[in-house]
Amino acid sequence: MSKSIRIYLVLLGVVILVLSLLQLNKTEIIDWRKSFDVDSKSPFGISVFNDEVDELLNHKIERISETPYEYFSNEEVSEPLNILIVTRYVTEQGWKKMLDRIHQGDHVFVVDYDMNPIVMDTLNFDLENTLYQYHNNLKLTDRKFENNSIYIKEYPGNIGIGKHDPSTTKILGTSIGRNEDDVAVFIEVAFGKGKLFYHTEPMMLSNFYMLNDEDYKYTENVFSYLPDRKTLWFQHAPEVESSSVLRFILNQKPLRYAWYLSLFSLFLFVIFHAKRRQRVVPIIEPLRNTSAEFVKTIGNLYLQEGSNKDMAHKKAVYFLNRVRTELLIDTTKLDSTFSHRLQLKTGAKQEKIDRMLVLLEKALHEQAPVQQEELIELNQLIDEIYQ
């Protein structure tokens, strides 16, 4: 083993040792973003709720990756359903579909900080920023649930229900407002034969609160308002899993670092040890195609000589030869039959074909003179008709 190889191996060992020490001393970073992702195990993901919701709803839940508009446009559903929406954006057309479903007897349960204006206009309620910004003390109005409140102290929302129609809206849950009064955060709105349940605080479903003491009981009580029947949960479409053979390596941080380090080491090896095994191959320029220049030169000669008749005659002969060989049309007589067949084969307008035939006959006639304007017109018509 040469001295340079030993030096490179020592440097590689030092780099691996340093990276290993950095990895051992690395502090795990907690993702505190409000993702509400069904697969996320971060504090504010909802993987725990996703695992427990089947038992919570008596195993009558179906997860749907389509949008509500797509699903109800493609599926004929006659039975009344429960529909669950958790922090998912729904288009106006999708909400129109679901409002129709509510009117027919469905129960829609929405947990989100926001609500589509068309829903609020239809059901006569709006939202206000009336809660404390630093905490939410959620409790249900039904006395049998008074011992199962939940205290949201980590990044709560401050959205409450503002104006609403008491004749159709029932307040099921409240929180303390900025003026120390109760503000509605969970409502039930009757519409036709069905109902809309709307809760303004999705944090109650997060992993942080589902695993915090007995806070999960509040969520159980909230969902107890839904009737015992099939529930459709419209989730975000799952990400397509990579089909790469390196999928496992790239998903594991230690293996991913080792893979990148190996590639970097191979790159260094190629740079310092790869030697050229053959002489430089000279670049041989290909022969230039001078056909276009030749045609241009010939064209300039004809133009300088002013031989419009000769140029038009050659143009006509060349065109008719192409028509015979490529379109398989008889060019013996340039009559109406020829004109009709040429129009069918090329799809050009009949008026242009008729005008071109007049110029062709003039170009082929031995005694008829051809003006420069006629030559130009003939050339343009040929290009337009036989592209």
Side-chain angles (χ1 to χ4, degrees):
M1 183 182 296
S2 65
K3 182 178 179 181
S4 59
I5 293 293
R6 288 196 296 270
I7 293 176
Y8 293 136
L9 290 177
V10 171
L11 291 176
L12 181 60
V14 171
V15 172
I16 294 175
L17 179 61
V18 171
L19 291 177
S20 300
L21 293 175
L22 292 175
Q23 186 67 24
L24 290 175
N25 295 327
K26 184 178 179 180
T27 303
E28 188 68 25
I29 299 176
I30 300 177
D31 185 2
W32 290 97
R33 291 176 298 175
K34 294 182 179 182
S35 66
F36 301 112
D37 185 354
V38 295
D39 297 320
S40 174
K41 293 180 172 56
S42 64
F44 298 146
I46 58 173
S47 62
V48 175
F49 174 74
N50 185 44
D51 294 337
E52 299 296 330
V53 71
D54 293 272
E55 184 175 353
L56 181 63
L57 298 178
N58 296 324
H59 300 279
K60 296 181 181 180
I61 187 168
E62 180 181 352
R63 294 162 176 82
I64 307 296
S65 60
E66 296 177 282
T67 65
Y69 178 79
E70 292 171 339
Y71 182 83
F72 290 117
S73 296
N74 299 328
E75 299 288 339
E76 291 292 336
V77 183
S78 57
E79 60 178 339
L81 300 169
N82 296 332
I83 299 174
L84 177 59
I85 304 291
V86 179
T87 65
R88 171 168 182 169
Y89 172 76
V90 179
T91 64
E92 183 175 314
Q93 297 301 321
W95 270 116
K96 288 180 179 179
K97 289 281 187 183
M98 286 199 292
L99 286 173
D100 290 339
R101 296 290 309 177
I102 296 174
H103 198 270
Q104 295 171 15
D106 283 5
H107 285 33
V108 175
F109 199 110
V110 181
V111 185
D112 202 346
Y113 292 123
D114 198 9
M115 178 57 75
N116 193 288
I118 191 174
V119 180
M120 293 189 290
D121 291 342
T122 303
L123 302 183
N124 296 320
F125 71 90
D126 60 15
L127 303 178
E128 294 181 355
N129 297 331
T130 55
L131 303 181
Y132 276 116
Q133 296 180 355
Y134 306 108
H135 67 268
N136 273 344
N137 187 15
L138 305 178
K139 57 184 179 179
L140 299 176
T141 56
D142 195 323
R143 290 187 178 181
K144 65 181 179 182
F145 299 137
E146 61 184 357
N147 294 326
N148 292 328
S149 62
I150 181 173
Y151 185 67
I152 305 294
K153 59 182 179 180
E154 301 291 341
Y155 307 108
N158 60 345
I159 303 298
I161 306 297
K163 182 194 69 173
H164 58 275
D165 186 355
S167 64
T168 58
T169 303
K170 182 179 179 180
I171 298 176
L172 303 180
T174 62
S175 182
I176 301 175
R178 296 175 184 173
N179 298 324
E180 301 297 329
D181 54 346
D182 287 342
V183 176
V185 294
F186 181 31
I187 58 173
E188 169 192 312
V189 185
F191 183 62
K193 298 179 181 179
K195 296 178 182 178
L196 170 74
F197 295 93
Y198 176 43
H199 201 299
T200 65
E201 184 53 89
M203 291 291 285
M204 68 173 183
L205 305 180
S206 66
N207 300 331
F208 186 90
Y209 291 101
M210 289 292 290
L211 299 175
N212 183 41
D213 297 331
E214 295 185 347
D215 287 346
Y216 67 91
K217 291 184 178 181
Y218 177 85
T219 301
E220 290 181 348
N221 296 333
V222 165
F223 280 90
S224 67
Y225 287 95
L226 284 176
D228 185 15
R229 61 192 184 190
K230 183 179 179 180
T231 300
L232 301 180
W233 183 4
F234 287 95
Q235 298 181 349
H236 294 282
E239 295 183 0
V240 179
E241 189 177 24
S242 172
S243 59
S244 172
V245 294
L246 299 175
R247 180 176 64 253
F248 178 77
I249 293 177
L250 297 178
N251 286 338
Q252 307 296 323
K253 286 185 179 180
L255 294 178
R256 184 166 67 246
Y257 293 149
W259 173 254
Y260 291 150
L261 182 60
S262 301
L263 293 179
F264 180 70
S265 302
L266 180 62
F267 176 72
L268 291 179
F269 176 81
V270 171
I271 289 180
F272 291 104
H273 291 279
K275 296 181 179 179
R276 191 179 299 276
R277 300 301 181 184
Q278 64 179 18
R279 298 177 60 185
V280 177
V281 178
I283 300 175
I284 301 177
E285 294 288 343
L287 296 176
R288 293 178 58 190
N289 186 355
T290 58
S291 299
E293 296 179 1
F294 174 77
V295 171
K296 185 177 180 180
T297 301
I298 296 300
N300 289 334
L301 288 175
Y302 272 106
L303 184 63
Q304 292 175 4
E305 292 294 330
S307 180
N308 299 325
K309 176 67 176 180
D310 193 16
M311 177 72 78
H313 184 270
K314 287 182 170 55
K315 195 75 176 174
V317 171
Y318 177 72
F319 171 72
L320 294 176
N321 181 64
R322 288 187 66 188
V323 170
R324 285 193 301 272
T325 57
E326 297 179 7
L327 299 183
L328 304 178
I329 299 176
D330 185 15
T331 60
T332 305
K333 294 182 179 181
L334 303 183
D335 53 9
S336 59
T337 302
F338 173 83
S339 175
H340 179 65
R341 291 178 179 177
L342 183 61
Q343 194 277 329
L344 291 178
K345 288 292 184 75
T346 62
K349 293 182 178 180
Q350 189 64 50
E351 305 83 53
K352 291 186 177 182
I353 292 178
D354 293 338
R355 175 56 182 166
M356 182 189 68
L357 292 180
V358 172
L359 296 175
L360 284 176
E361 290 177 349
K362 191 172 185 180
L364 295 172
H365 196 279
E366 294 182 356
Q367 303 299 327
V370 177
Q371 302 299 323
Q372 184 174 3
E373 294 78 11
E374 294 174 330
L375 174 61
I376 294 173
E377 184 181 4
L378 175 62
N379 183 67
Q380 291 177 346
L381 288 172
I382 290 176
D383 290 341
E384 291 176 4
I385 293 172
Y386 198 92
Q387 295 180 350

